[in-house]
Coordinates of all heavy atoms in Angstrom, one line a residue:
T6 N 73.9 129.4 117.7 CA 72.8 129.1 116.8 C 73.3 128.3 115.6 O 74.3 128.7 115.1 CB 72.2 130.4 116.3 OG1 71.6 131.2 117.3 CG2 71.0 130.1 115.3
R7 N 72.6 127.2 115.2 CA 73.0 126.3 114.2 C 71.9 126.2 113.2 O 70.7 126.2 113.7 CB 73.5 124.9 114.7 CG 74.7 124.9 115.4 CD 75.9 125.1 114.6 NE 77.2 124.9 115.4 CZ 77.9 125.8 115.8 NH1 77.4 127.1 115.6 NH2 78.9 125.6 116.4
R8 N 72.2 126.1 111.9 CA 71.2 125.9 110.9 C 70.9 124.4 110.8 O 71.9 123.7 110.4 CB 71.6 126.5 109.5 CG 70.5 126.5 108.5 CD 71.1 127.0 107.2 NE 71.6 128.4 107.3 CZ 70.8 129.4 107.1 NH1 69.5 129.3 106.8 NH2 71.3 130.6 107.2
I9 N 69.6 123.9 110.9 CA 69.3 122.6 110.7 C 68.6 122.5 109.4 O 67.7 123.2 109.1 CB 68.4 122.1 111.9 CG1 69.0 122.5 113.2 CG2 68.2 120.7 111.8 CD1 70.3 121.8 113.5
A10 N 69.0 121.5 108.5 CA 68.4 121.3 107.3 C 67.6 120.0 107.3 O 68.1 118.9 107.8 CB 69.5 121.2 106.2
Q11 N 66.5 120.1 106.5 CA 65.7 118.7 106.3 C 65.5 118.7 104.8 O 65.0 119.4 104.1 CB 64.3 119.1 107.0 CG 63.3 117.9 106.6 CD 63.5 116.8 107.6 OE1 64.6 116.4 108.0 NE2 62.4 116.1 108.1
P12 N 66.0 117.5 104.3 CA 65.9 117.3 102.8 C 64.4 117.1 102.4 O 63.6 116.7 103.1 CB 66.6 115.9 102.6 CG 67.4 115.8 103.9 CD 66.7 116.4 105.0
H13 N 64.2 117.7 101.2 CA 62.8 117.6 100.6 C 62.5 116.2 100.2 O 63.4 115.5 99.6 CB 62.7 118.5 99.4 CG 61.4 118.8 98.9 ND1 60.6 117.9 98.2 CD2 60.5 119.9 99.2 CE1 59.4 118.3 97.9 NE2 59.4 119.5 98.6
P14 N 61.3 115.6 100.5 CA 61.1 114.2 100.2 C 61.1 114.0 98.6 O 61.3 112.8 98.3 CB 59.8 113.9 100.8 CG 59.1 115.3 101.0 CD 60.3 116.3 101.2
E15 N 60.8 115.0 97.9 CA 60.7 114.7 96.4 C 62.0 115.3 95.6 O 62.0 115.5 94.5 CB 59.4 115.3 95.9 CG 58.3 114.6 96.5 CD 56.9 115.4 95.9 OE1 57.1 116.2 95.0 OE2 55.8 115.0 96.3
G16 N 63.1 115.6 96.5 CA 64.2 116.1 95.8 C 64.3 117.5 95.6 O 65.3 118.0 94.9
G17 N 63.4 118.2 96.1 CA 63.4 119.6 96.0 C 64.4 120.3 96.9 O 65.2 119.7 97.5
A18 N 64.3 121.6 97.0 CA 65.2 122.4 98.0 C 64.9 122.0 99.4 O 63.8 121.9 99.9 CB 65.0 123.9 97.8
P19 N 66.0 121.8 100.2 CA 65.8 121.4 101.7 C 65.1 122.6 102.5 O 65.3 123.8 102.1 CB 67.2 121.2 102.2 CG 68.1 121.9 101.2 CD 67.4 122.0 99.9
T20 N 64.5 122.2 103.5 CA 63.9 123.2 104.4 C 64.9 123.4 105.5 O 65.6 122.5 106.0 CB 62.6 122.7 105.0 OG1 61.7 122.2 103.9 CG2 61.8 123.7 105.8
H21 N 64.9 124.7 106.0 CA 65.9 125.0 107.1 C 65.2 125.7 108.3 O 64.1 126.3 108.1 CB 67.0 126.0 106.6 CG 67.9 125.4 105.6 ND1 67.6 125.5 104.2 CD2 69.1 124.8 105.7 CE1 68.6 124.9 103.5 NE2 69.4 124.5 104.4
L22 N 65.8 125.4 109.4 CA 65.4 126.3 110.7 C 66.6 126.6 111.5 O 67.6 125.9 111.3 CB 64.2 125.5 111.4 CG 64.6 124.0 112.0 CD1 65.5 124.1 113.3 CD2 63.4 123.3 112.3
L23 N 66.5 127.5 112.3 CA 67.6 127.9 113.2 C 67.3 127.3 114.7 O 66.2 127.6 115.2 CB 67.7 129.5 113.2 CG 68.0 130.1 111.9 CD1 68.1 131.6 112.1 CD2 69.3 129.6 111.3
L24 N 68.3 126.7 115.1 CA 68.2 126.1 116.5 C 69.3 126.8 117.4 O 70.4 126.7 117.1 CB 68.3 124.6 116.5 CG 68.1 123.8 117.7 CD1 66.7 124.0 118.4 CD2 68.5 122.3 117.6
T25 N 68.8 127.3 118.5 CA 69.7 128.0 119.5 C 69.9 127.3 120.7 O 68.9 126.9 121.3 CB 69.2 129.5 119.7 OG1 69.1 130.2 118.4 CG2 70.1 130.3 120.6
D26 N 71.1 127.1 121.3 CA 71.4 126.6 122.5 C 71.7 127.8 123.5 O 72.5 128.6 123.1 CB 72.6 125.7 122.5 CG 73.0 125.1 123.8 OD1 72.2 125.0 124.6 OD2 74.2 124.8 124.0
T27 N 71.1 127.8 124.6 CA 71.3 128.9 125.5 C 71.8 128.5 126.9 O 71.9 127.3 127.1 CB 69.9 129.7 125.8 OG1 68.9 128.8 126.2 CG2 69.4 130.3 124.5
V28 N 72.1 129.4 127.7 CA 72.6 129.1 129.1 C 71.6 128.3 129.9 O 70.4 128.4 129.8 CB 73.0 130.4 129.8 CG1 71.8 131.3 130.0 CG2 73.6 130.1 131.1
G29 N 72.1 127.3 130.7 CA 71.1 126.5 131.5 C 70.6 127.2 132.7 O 71.2 128.2 133.1
F30 N 69.5 126.7 133.2 CA 68.8 127.3 134.3 C 69.2 126.5 135.5 O 69.7 125.3 135.4 CB 67.3 127.3 134.2 CG 66.9 128.2 133.1 CD1 65.6 128.0 132.6 CD2 67.6 129.2 132.6 CE1 65.1 128.8 131.6 CE2 67.2 130.1 131.6 CZ 65.9 129.8 131.0
I31 N 69.0 127.1 136.7 CA 69.2 126.3 138.0 C 68.3 126.9 138.9 O 67.8 128.0 138.9 CB 70.7 126.4 138.4 CG1 71.0 125.3 139.5 CG2 71.0 127.8 138.9 CD1 72.5 125.2 139.8
R32 N 68.0 126.1 139.9 CA 67.1 126.6 141.1 C 67.7 127.8 141.8 O 68.9 127.9 142.1 CB 67.0 125.4 142.1 CG 66.3 125.8 143.5 CD 66.2 124.5 144.3 NE 67.6 124.0 144.6 CZ 68.4 124.5 145.6 NH1 67.9 125.5 146.4 NH2 69.4 124.0 145.9
D33 N 67.0 128.8 142.1 CA 67.3 130.0 142.8 C 68.5 130.7 142.1 O 69.6 131.0 142.7 CB 67.7 129.7 144.3 CG 66.6 129.2 145.1 OD1 65.5 129.5 144.8 OD2 66.8 128.3 146.0

């Protein structure tokens, strides 16, 4: 899991979200 930041367009506090990378899937 990594924290992704988005700067505020008017110079305010940035917005954050958590993005998680998981194990890949495969057929059967």
Side-chain angles (χ1 to χ4, degrees):
T6 300
R7 293 283 187 265
R8 186 186 300 272
I9 310 296
Q11 175 80 324
H13 194 282
E15 298 179 1
T20 308
H21 295 89
L22 62 79
L23 299 179
L24 185 59
T25 300
D26 176 28
T27 58
V28 62
F30 296 159
I31 197 169
R32 174 180 58 87
D33 299 331

